[in-house]
């Protein structure tokens, strides 16, 4: 099985992150699964919907490329899941979103979920995601630290900085737990991977969930189920398949100033 893992960080700007991500993906995937990391340049360095939109377009193009290159599934390794529905509408291989997969799995771990994102500008985006996934009654709150995406990369390979990010995360997570949250989710692949070094990470009894293994396992399961049943996403509604000529138009006609 071949999985394309789409990071929204490139190796040039996130080498220490990629160097930790690769072994982590190998460790959490099945023995016969190959996971290839691909990045986006310019990488997602600023918390803003416009950056998400730009990266989403490149991600969708890469999902098409992955299918054409024979990959069995495509993982959006970015919690905001920008472009997820659109990607599912242009390829027939499973497309798994880190944010969606994590939230849905955590609904089996507890009744009320809380998210701590890295920047307050992501909070409205997360509420849109929560509504789209039908989880408004399950997600009890979204809190935020105050990092730009690229800043947390500095905590990789630096134990003191990693401990500080963990402290700031727990500072935001603890009030959510006190208010009744059962499960805490770091709102991003970068903090998820950073916290993966803290085995059985909890805040006052509430697990802090690393969604990266969840996304990988969901991709493996989606491939296995498709092979078993022949079924993929519905082709009515949100995932209606775009005609081939529309896909080619999308691939070949970006316009700038």
């Amino acid at each position: 099985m071949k999985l394309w893992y789409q990071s929204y960080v490139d190796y040039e700007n996130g080498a220490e992150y990629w160097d930790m991500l690769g072994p982590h993906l190998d460790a959490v995937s099945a023995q016969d699964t190959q996971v290839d990391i691909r990045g986006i340049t310019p990488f997602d360095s600023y918390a803003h919907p416009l950056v998400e939109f730009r990266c989403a377009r490149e991600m969708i193009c890469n999902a098409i490329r992955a299918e054409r290159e024979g990959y069995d599934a495509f993982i959006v390794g970015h919690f905001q899941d920008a472009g997820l529905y659109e990607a599912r509408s242009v390829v027939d291989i499973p497309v798994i979103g880190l944010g969606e997969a994590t939230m849905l799995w955590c609904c089996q771990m507890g009744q009320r979920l809380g998210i701590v994102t890295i920047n307050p500008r992501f909070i409205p985006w997360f509420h849109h995601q929560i509504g789209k996934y039908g989880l408004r009654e399950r997600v009890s709150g979204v809190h935020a630290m105050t990092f730009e995406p690229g800043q947390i990369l500095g905590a990789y390979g630096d134990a003191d900085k990693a401990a500080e990010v963990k402290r700031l995360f727990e500072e935001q997570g603890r009030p959510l737990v006190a208010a009744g949250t059962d499960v805490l989710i770091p709102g991003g692949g970068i903090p998820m991977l950073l916290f993966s070094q803290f085995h059985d990470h909890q805040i006052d009894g509430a697990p802090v969930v690393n969604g990266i293994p969840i996304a990988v396992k969901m991709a493996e399961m989606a491939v296995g189920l498709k092979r078993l049943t022949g079924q993929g996403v519905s082709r009515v509604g949100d995932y209606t398949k775009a005609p081939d000529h529309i896909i080619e138009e999308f691939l070949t006609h970006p316009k700038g100033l």
Side-chain angles (χ1 to χ4, degrees):
M1 188 182 298
K2 284 180 60 180
L3 307 179
W4 178 304
Y5 189 93
Q6 182 64 66
S7 174
Y8 280 36
V9 177
D10 56 14
Y11 188 77
E12 180 181 356
N13 293 283
E16 290 184 329
Y17 169 62
W18 275 46
D19 288 345
M20 184 174 173
L21 179 61
H24 187 66
L25 292 171
D26 289 341
V28 303
S29 58
Q31 188 172 3
D32 60 348
T33 297
Q34 172 185 328
V35 187
D36 295 329
I37 309 170
R38 299 289 184 268
I40 287 178
T41 303
F43 76 109
D44 187 352
S45 61
Y46 186 79
H48 195 278
L50 191 62
V51 180
E52 297 298 314
F53 188 83
R54 172 181 61 79
C55 292
R57 190 189 191 287
E58 188 164 343
M59 180 276 287
I60 296 164
C61 292
N62 284 344
I64 298 168
R65 177 183 167 191
E67 182 175 56
R68 293 179 180 181
E69 292 185 5
Y71 283 85
D72 296 294
F74 185 92
I75 299 172
V76 182
H78 181 67
F79 195 87
Q80 285 75 7
D81 291 343
L84 174 63
Y85 280 22
E86 291 78 9
R88 286 178 177 158
S89 74
V90 294
V91 296
D92 292 316
I93 60 174
V95 179
I96 304 298
L98 179 60
E100 183 187 50
T102 304
M103 287 188 232
L104 293 179
W105 177 258
C106 286
C107 284
Q108 300 176 78
M109 298 180 67
Q111 189 65 22
R112 301 183 70 200
L113 318 180
I115 299 173
V116 178
T117 181
I118 63 173
N119 189 289
R121 288 192 299 275
F122 277 140
I123 291 177
W125 183 285
F126 280 18
H127 282 298
H128 289 311
Q129 279 183 275
I130 292 161
K132 186 164 63 175
Y133 303 155
L135 297 175
R136 291 198 192 280
E137 293 185 3
R138 301 295 297 275
V139 179
S140 55
V142 181
H143 287 192
M145 298 180 285
T146 53
F147 293 100
E148 295 300 338
Q151 287 180 305
I152 294 186
L153 293 173
Y156 281 85
D158 188 317
D160 291 338
K161 288 183 179 179
E164 176 64 7
V165 175
K166 181 174 179 283
R167 184 190 68 79
L168 292 171
F169 178 89
E170 293 179 353
E171 188 177 85
Q172 294 297 324
R174 192 157 278 114
L176 287 167
V177 178
T181 294
D182 303 309
V183 182
L184 289 167
I185 303 171
I190 294 173
M192 282 178 174
L193 183 63
L194 184 67
F195 296 156
S196 69
Q197 63 188 292
F198 305 114
H199 183 68
D200 194 21
H201 187 189
Q202 298 185 13
I203 297 178
D204 299 335
V208 177
V209 177
N210 172 15
I212 296 172
I214 296 168
V216 171
K217 291 304 178 186
M218 282 202 175
E220 291 177 329
M221 181 174 67
V223 173
L225 287 172
K226 187 171 183 180
R227 290 172 179 174
L228 186 66
T229 67
Q231 293 181 326
V233 297
S234 171
R235 288 308 186 195
V236 295
D238 288 310
Y239 308 139
T240 299
K241 184 78 178 287
D244 289 344
H245 73 281
I246 293 298
I247 294 173
E248 291 304 319
E249 182 181 77
F250 179 81
L251 290 171
T252 56
H253 287 82
K255 288 189 176 181
L257 295 176

